[in-house]
Every structure is written in C-alpha cells, then in structure tokens.
Amino acid sequence: MSKELPELLAPAGCLERLKIAISYGADAVYLGGQKFGLRSAAENFTFKEIEQGVTFAHKSSRKVYVVLNSFLHDNELAELPEFLRAIENIGVDAVICSDPGVVKTVKEFTKLEIHLSTQASCNNAFSARFWKDLGVARVILGRECSILEAAKIKEQAQIDVEIFVHGSMCIAYSGNCIISNFTAGRDSNRGGCAQSCRFEYAIKSHSEAFSKNSFFLSSKDLLGIDHIESIIKNKISSVKIEGRMKSALYLGTVVKTYRAALDSCASDCEANQEMLLCLKKELYKVTHREYCDGNLVKVAGPDSVSADRESEEMNYGMVGVVIDTTSKDTFLIEVRGVFKRGDLLEVIPFVGEPILVGSDQAVGPFGEEIVKFSPSSLVKLPKVAGIEKLNIVRIKL
Amino acid sequence: MSNIVTYIQSESDLELLKRLRIDLAILAMRPFARDGISFDEGLKLIRLATASGTSISLEMDKIYTQNEFEIFKDDLKKLSFEMIASLRVADLGVAKYIMEFYPFVKLELWTEAIGSNVTALIEHERYFGRHLSTLILSLQLSKSQLANFCTNISTDKELLVLGRIPIFYSPRHLLTGRSDADWMEVAMASSEETPHSGFSVVENKNGTLMYNPKDIFLVDKLSELMLMGVERFRLDLRHLKFDELEKLLPKVVSSVKDGGDSDCLKKEYPRKVISGYYNANKSDVLFAKLKNPNLIRDDSIYIGYVVSSLKGKYLAIVVDGEYSLKIGEQVKFVTPEGKTVKLAIGTLYLADGNNVLTVAEGVCFTGHIKGISAKSTVSIQRF
Ligand code: SF4
C-alpha cells in the first residue's frame, strides 16, 4: 500500500514556467494575475494566459491557484469582484488571500476555494480556526512553524495546512516587515518589497562583539528535502516551492527533485536514503544562497543567517529550453545562456537521469554555422531519444 | 473627546502620567509584547498603576507559533485580569483564544498588517463583536483613507501620532544569535544601500525588531484627526530619556486638550520626524512603473512572441495566443522598448523548412524584420 503524499505546489511566474512546473511533476501551481497579488512587478498572467494555464494543468488533473495576497485599499477592493468572476469562470481551483477584506469579497461573490497566504502570519491552531470561521479551506503557515507544529494545527483546527519546503525566505514574520515602505516608498505588503534584508549593515552596539558590518538580516535559503519523510508521516496537506521570479532551470530542477523525493517515499518501505542524497545534490546545482532547514525541525538558529556575505552559489548555468521537437531528426533549443559549440550540454528530461548531449553539431535552425550561442538565438541539434518539448537544458560551469 | 494613551516603563513614567491626568497607560512586558520590560517589572508596575487609579492596557503584540501558544496559555494564567483594562492583540489566534476563554476581557486589535481597507475592519468588528473595544489603525493610511475608515467604522480607533515607527519583526535572534535568556540588546544599523541610516535594532527573547530612523509626528494634525473621529492618540516615546519625556509630554497633552503649539513641539523633539503616509499613500506607484507595459499581451489580439531574430535571415515566432498566424495577415510587432512595426506576413515556414499557410501553435519562421528583436509581441492588426 502506498502512503498518501502531500500536494507538491510550484510557482508559475509565466505561462511557460507553468507548463514546465506541471511537466516536471508539480501537482498544483500558483500564479499571479495582472492585479491584486504581490510580485506586482513580475510578468503576471493575463486572463487568457490563466485560461491556457488552467487548460494545460487540468488536462493532467493538476490544479491552478491564483494569488491575491496583496493587502488592498478600498478602491481596489471595489474592482475585485469583476476579476474574481472572470477567474472563477475560467475554472481556477482556488485563490490565495491574506486580507480579510479580500477573503470576505471572495466569499460574497464566488464559490472559489480560499487558501490563506503566508502573508497573514498564521502560525497556530487558534489563528487557523479564526480564518476557517471566515471561510478559508487551507492555511499556508508562516515559515516559523515546524513540521510537527503544522501537523498539530491541522489536527486541532481541522483544516488543510501547507508549508514551504524550498526557496528564499523572508526573515521577518510575513506581513511584519515594512522596511521598504519607509525607506523606499514601496509597500512590501502590496508587492513592493525592496529586499532591504539582503543589504549589508554597519552595526554599532555598546558591545564590541556585536559591532560589525554584517548581512545580519539575510536568511539562508530553505532546503526541506531531508525532511520529506517526516512531512509525509505528519500528513502535511501541501508542500510549497518558493520562487515565482526564479528561472525555468531553477523551477524545473527543484520541482523534478521534490517530485522524485516524494515518490521515492510513497511506498510503505523506508525511503531510499541513497536516492534522497542523490536528489539533494541536484538542488545544489541551481542558483541558491547557502541552504538551511529553517524552522522545519527546530527553531532557526544563528546558522540560518548568511551574516558574513550575501552571495548566490551557482554550479550549473541555464542553456535554454527545448521549444520544438517536431522535426524527424533534430530538435530546437531556445538559447537563454551563452555556450560554445562543442560544450557538453545536459538536457533534463521530465523523469529520469539527465541526458548528456554533445554540441559539436550545433547549428542555427537552418544550418547556419555558429560558434558561440547567445541568449535569444536558436540552436538545432540532432535528435536524441527521450528529449521532449519544454525540457530544460543546462551546462556545468 | 479624543484621548491620549502612552507607554509606561517605570514608576517615574507612571507618576508623570498621574501628574498629567492621563488615566490609561499601555504596559508592554515580555513575554506578551515584542518589545517591553521584564515580566516581573511589568507585574509590579501593573499593581502600582492599579493602586494609583491608572488603567492598564496590556500590550500583547507577539506572534505565536503553535508551541509558543501552549506556553502563552500558561503565561496568561499568571495575569490578574481585574487589574487590566484591555489586551492589545496582534495575533488573530490570540484574539480568538481570549474571546473564547476570557470573554470578559476587552480586546484592542492591531491592524497594521490586516487593516488596509474598510471591509477588512468591518469583518473584525463582526467577528469579535462586543469583545472588540478598539482598532489600532495602521500607520500607513493616508488622510483620506483615515477619514473613510472613521466614517464607516463604529469601533473606537487609535492612531500613533508621535514616536517611533516599528518596521521589522523577526523571531530570529539576529544580533547575538542567542535565544537562551530574557535579555535586551540594542544597536544601531546603517546601510550604504539605502539613504536611511540609524535604524535602531532591539533584540530580546522574542526575536529582533527594527525601528525607523525617523519618528512619526502627527501632533500638528490632531485637530484634523479629532474632527475625522479618531478617538485615541498613541504616543510611543519609550526610546526617549525620562527628562526628554518629562519636557515633551505636557506639551503633547496641551496640543490635544487646547491646541498647543505643535511647531514649537516639533522643533524641540529630540529626533528627526516625518509625517509618514498621512498626506498621501503612493507606495505602489513606484513599483507599478517597474512593469514594462510593452510586454503585457493584449488577449483580444495576441498571436505570440518573437523568440529569435537573425539579421537578413529570419524572425522566429512562438505562436501561443488565441489566434493563429497566417500568410497575408496584417500583424503588429511591438518591441520591449515600445517600437511598433505593422505589416502583412509574407512567408511562413516551420523548423524543417517546409512552407505553411497558417500556424496555430508552436515555433514558426518568417522573414527578418529590421528593428524587431526577441521578446517583441505579435498581435493581429485591427483597423
Ligand atoms: S525586505 Fe526581506 S524581510 Fe522584509 S519583506 Fe522583503 S524579503 Fe521579507
């Protein structure tokens, strides 16, 4: 008998990344419309794109959630019903909200399922019960909650719980950092966070030990793969990957890795530790800050902050995305990162080991001789079995 | 008549309030408050305040994880509620718990993060009903928003009009890395990447807090706020020395009671001040500009986007919209920079080189067009 797995929820920053996330194994994706979500500066979805995304996801019984987690002003709230009706007609599966005014409006005008955004800083069962009373079906818990706490909240409040499992972390209690609001005139609770926590600060204290230059507000990234078994055992409803602004390489790799990790733990037998270790290595191949496991098991300590330097580690670079496989003998890559003819490329299939592809025979789409391929060019390569449209192509740096 | 409410941290503060006939004080003590005096000091002050006839509103603005909540329930039992007029709560779980298990206690709800529209506040009024005595309004509301709130909300409303502005709250111990004792660590932080420097940082058992380098000063707006219907004005001057407080507080009281000279008060105030968002909240204007309107597709005419362009050879287009790309079709290309080219599609072929008349989905090619780069949108040209 196989164990019940949590939903694997992935970010979809654009229609292409939605398709990538679904293709690599996400059970559900979350996306932003043109209005009402944080990440307002990002490429968000038009109604038609949402519809295309929903059609693509529903074809394989996956779900699409629309993020409405901005804290709205009254004039915006007045515009919300029209937006809600449109996405309900499209068939989205749920909306993610944090503002009680938005929750009320969703309840009043639609039958859409409501998930509470982490922005609402819901971290305990009583808080979850409050939101449940307001009509929320699932709470996305604050990153401050451990897996065991999440399980208790689920049991005590009788509500679905979702936790973050991978990605960048806001170091403040969500919704409780307004540094950008007062330093950059940008409202972090309305999509304008200026990432002030990633700056270096000169600290002056009466104690010399604490007087130094430091990135003292900069959290390491969350890595939850080591705790997948515990997440399953504790019946967490959904695990979420952060990063609507992240690249297709990041998304494809992370989704595929967590999909494989969850599936490897699905059977009743013990998880294959060797396999989990192997999978974990994949997560070190995408751009990331230093990793930590946040509060998943115990309260995040000093080792959860990258105080000494703010850098991102990158072992592999993005080459591009396979955009056409219709030709009999060749396939086409849309190039997103520089590589030279002769470099060894790795195509990441939706399932299974990366496929190594030499680029000695790389040419332009109509046989043009090109030595160095740059972003926004196309490259044609001889067909290799197992390569599909939307596969990500990477290169070891 | 509007009231003043301010924090007490010591017996001297309490005496000062008595002298000024301020009969309600906020007491912030750990573990219930993010930033406050110790539990023992707090209990002592509550007893003294009660004895001297000053009502205490107890700050309870900490956010609780599930495990912390269990401890909180026990801590709550240590309080003598007959000495506490109300609880100032930020965590909605705490508010719900108090409502259910201490139904006789008045709730004052922090709405900094959850009160940016009237509907939200009305929801809180409806949910907490008679238990809710005051809504502590967000400091990010503009004058017109405040007026709208006052018109539509019947619960008493409180606004910070003078003092420090909290801008950051994390459960992590970011200065010392220690979480093992109930201490307080204070520092200043400055960053070259922001024009603002001198953030005051406080770390205690509850985590790390940061305050804005400049304080809020709305004392000159008090009569306006009173007319709007804000019932209570809060001062948070806990970061000032007692002699500064002793000089300032009588002047603030006189501003409220008989419109004292706020300009003079502003000059005397020992820290730099701002009026925050009071005059206008345009905090989303800036980031809206970060969006490139040329990249947003118009669903009603969208065909696809240019994925690659090779001078003199081809333009590669990904068709992914509602409409197909057809030979002879009048189309419009818009580059990310906003340049527009309108023309009829002359040739159309696929990656295998075969010519086609129409493409409904996927990659196709047409002749190169000068000035049209990757990421340009392709739409039907409507006349
Ligand atoms: S600046 Fe950092 S801590 Fe503050 S809201 Fe933005 S990501 Fe979160």
Side-chain angles (χ1 to χ4, degrees), chain A residues 39 119 169-181 188-189 192-198 201 217, chain B residues 167-168:
Chain A
R39 311 283 171 272
Q119 281 299 109
M169 282 192 279
C170 186
I171 201 157
Y173 282 109
S174 294
N176 282 273
C177 170
I178 48 172
I179 303 178
S180 310
N181 307 42
S188 51
N189 290 325
C193 165
Q195 299 275 304
S196 318
C197 60
R198 304 296 178 190
Y201 290 86
L217 301 179
Chain B
I167 54 171
F168 176 84

Side-chain angles (χ1 to χ4, degrees), chain A residues 15-16 19 34 40-42 44 46-49 52 71-74 76-77 98-102 104-105 121 123-127 129-131 133-134 144-146 149 152-153 156 169-173 175-187 189-192 197-207 210 212 215-217 219-220 292 295 300-302 304-305 323-324 326-327 332 334 336 364-366 368 376-378 380 389, chain B residues 34 62-70 73 91-94 96-97 100-101 112-120 123-124 126-128 139-140 145 148-149 165-177 185-196 199 201 206 208 210 212 274 276-277 281-284 286-287 290-291 296-297 299 305 307-310 313-314 316 318 320-322 349-353 361-363 365 374-375:
Chain A
L15 186 56
E16 183 196 63
K19 292 177 180 175
Q34 291 291 326
S40 302
N44 286 323
T46 62
F47 287 126
K48 185 70 200 171
E49 285 173 300
Q52 287 174 304
F71 289 87
L72 302 188
H73 292 161
D74 287 284
E76 296 162 310
L77 207 54
S98 44
D99 177 337
V102 174
K104 168 111 181 9
T105 310
S121 249
N123 292 319
N124 55 65
F126 272 88
S127 179
R129 283 180 49 203
F130 166 85
W131 288 104
D133 291 347
L134 257 53
E144 294 76 28
C145 280
S146 68
E149 286 178 306
K152 271 191 210 159
I153 294 169
Q156 289 182 18
M169 282 192 279
C170 186
I171 201 157
Y173 282 109
N176 282 273
C177 170
I178 48 172
I179 303 178
S180 310
N181 307 42
F182 282 92
T183 58
R186 289 163 55 166
D187 191 337
N189 290 325
R190 290 164 51 77
C197 60
R198 304 296 178 190
F199 298 168
E200 184 179 27
Y201 290 86
I203 303 171
K204 287 200 182 75
S205 163
H206 64 276
S207 153
F210 308 132
K212 57 188 169 199
F215 293 90
F216 78 121
L217 301 179
S219 177
K220 290 182 183 173
C292 71
N295 295 283
S304 65
V305 177
I323 57 164
D324 191 87
T326 53
S327 290
L332 267 188
E334 180 197 338
R336 307 238 174 117
F366 301 104
E368 305 89 339
S376 300
S377 63
L378 295 176
K380 187 160 80 176
K389 190 174 167 184
Chain B
R34 299 171 187 190
K62 192 178 142 44
I63 308 270
Y64 292 88
T65 62
Q66 181 63 22
N67 289 346
E68 290 170 333
F69 204 91
E70 296 304 325
K73 288 195 237 170
D91 187 319
L92 290 162
V94 170
K96 182 168 174 63
Y97 183 78
E100 284 184 14
F101 293 93
E112 189 64 53
I114 48 163
S116 58
N117 56 71
V118 170
T119 311
E123 265 303 84
H124 293 306
R126 185 192 60 75
Y127 190 88
F128 294 109
L139 198 55
Q140 296 171 71
Q145 287 171 308
N148 184 30
F149 279 31
I165 305 172
I167 54 171
F168 176 84
Y169 171 31
S170 170
R172 298 197 218 177
H173 298 87
L174 301 170
L175 281 177
T176 68
E185 198 62 53
V186 181
M188 295 296 268
S190 302
S191 168
E192 283 180 5
E193 290 167 86
T194 145
H196 305 259
F199 298 94
V201 186
N206 291 332
T208 308
M210 251 167 78
N212 198 49
I274 51 170
Y277 287 104
N281 183 337
K282 292 188 183 146
S283 57
D284 44 5
L286 200 71
F287 68 80
L290 298 174
K291 220 177 210 170
I296 300 173
R297 69 189 226 183
D299 286 338
Y305 63 95
V307 71
S308 180
S309 159
L310 188 62
K313 300 266 166 133
Y314 61 78
V318 170
D320 68 346
E322 175 110 55
Y349 49 101
L350 301 179
D352 56 12
E361 205 197 348
V363 191
F365 297 83
K375 292 199 170 71

Side-chain angles (χ1 to χ4, degrees), chain A residues 152-164:
Chain A
K152 271 191 210 159
I153 294 169
K154 182 178 179 181
E155 190 199 312
Q156 289 182 18
Q158 289 293 302
I159 194 167
D160 278 357
V161 293
E162 178 178 314
I163 59 171
F164 279 89

Side-chain angles (χ1 to χ4, degrees), chain A residues 24-74:
Chain A
Y24 278 102
D27 297 307
V29 290
Y30 59 100
L31 59 86
Q34 291 291 326
K35 281 180 180 172
F36 311 120
L38 299 182
R39 311 283 171 272
S40 302
E43 350 159 26
N44 286 323
F45 286 61
T46 62
F47 287 126
K48 185 70 200 171
E49 285 173 300
I50 297 177
E51 189 185 317
Q52 287 174 304
V54 167
T55 306
F56 187 89
H58 285 182
K59 232 186 267 170
S60 46
S61 307
R62 319 296 173 85
K63 291 181 173 172
V64 175
Y65 307 145
V66 173
V67 180
L68 307 172
N69 60 351
S70 193
F71 289 87
L72 302 188
H73 292 161
D74 287 284

